[in-house]
Amino acid sequence: MALQGPQKTLAQLVGVVVVMGALAWASVPFYSWFCRVTGFGGETSVADSGSDTVLEETIKVRFDASVERDFPWVFKPVEREMELRIGETGLAFYEASNPTDRPIAGTASYNVAPYEAGGFFTKIDCFCFTEQVLAPGETVLMPVTFYVDPEITTDRDAKYVHRITLSYTFHETDLPEDFAALDVAQPKDTDLN
């Protein structure tokens, strides 16, 4: 029995809603994968070791740091800019301080500008790969080891990039269970009147 009139229209409408929902559900992981693979949106690459090729041509890397609104850490790059040969392994440090009286966990999101350089900026090791926990009053240096892939010099768009900015923003996350015990709540004033 074939659907007719309003039933056919309703079935088509439900089909469209299901397809749109499936596409919306799949779009976030697909977009994330696409950015990691292509460097789109300033997403960086990751490698286990440094580049096999180091060129004589140099590039400047600028370091930027921020924290999300109401996140109490003080977070800044130790060095604002460095110049290195393309393919050379670089090591930069960021400093983070927790000026509060409680342990705080944070994770760093990052990007690279200009976006054309994202796929060529390769991290070997980075504090942003894991959650960071700072005790009350603690200050730490957090390293990032990286290189700029020599293939940047032959890319149609990226070959004109002479300065790259690596930006991090820290966001507060829930304390891991083993640190949660350290987070001693302060007694709260209660008004019994």
Side-chain angles (χ1 to χ4, degrees):
M1 178 173 131
L3 296 176
Q4 297 194 13
Q7 292 174 336
K8 185 176 181 181
T9 303
L10 182 61
Q12 289 173 337
L13 208 54
V14 168
V16 167
V17 168
V18 168
V19 168
M20 295 298 282
L23 289 174
W25 176 80
S27 66
V28 172
F30 178 75
Y31 181 76
S32 178
W33 169 82
F34 176 78
C35 290
R36 281 194 313 273
V37 170
T38 65
F40 183 78
E43 189 76 29
T44 64
S45 298
V46 178
D48 293 329
S49 61
S51 173
D52 295 334
T53 306
V54 178
L55 307 178
E56 290 301 316
E57 187 177 344
T58 63
I59 194 161
K60 291 183 180 179
V61 179
R62 184 178 172 278
F63 304 99
D64 185 42
S66 63
V67 293
E68 77 175 331
R69 196 158 118 211
D70 299 327
F71 186 59
W73 283 8
V74 176
F75 177 58
K76 62 186 178 185
V78 172
E79 187 175 2
R80 297 295 288 168
E81 186 174 85
M82 72 171 54
E83 185 171 359
L84 64 154
R85 296 184 316 175
I86 295 175
E88 177 183 8
T89 299
L91 174 62
F93 289 92
Y94 283 77
E95 182 181 278
S97 299
N98 177 3
T100 71
D101 60 355
R102 64 184 177 90
I104 298 176
T107 56
S109 59
Y110 57 87
N111 74 352
V112 169
Y115 291 157
E116 297 83 8
F120 300 100
F121 192 92
T122 307
K123 293 181 185 179
I124 300 168
D125 193 22
C126 182
F127 61 89
C128 61
F129 294 162
T130 59
E131 179 180 63
Q132 304 295 318
V133 179
L134 295 185
E138 183 178 15
T139 297
V140 296
L141 289 178
M142 297 184 289
V144 56
T145 309
F146 65 93
Y147 67 90
V148 178
D149 191 321
E151 290 185 17
I152 194 171
T153 61
T154 59
D155 184 77
R156 183 182 62 169
D157 298 319
K159 67 183 176 183
Y160 300 107
V161 173
H162 300 290
R163 174 175 283 148
I164 295 173
T165 301
L166 175 62
S167 299
Y168 289 98
T169 301
F170 255 101
H171 310 271
E172 189 166 0
T173 57
D174 292 333
L175 279 172
E177 287 185 26
D178 50 335
F179 287 95
L182 299 174
D183 190 15
V184 179
Q186 298 295 323
K188 296 180 181 176
D189 293 333
T190 57
D191 190 5
L192 300 175
N193 294 333

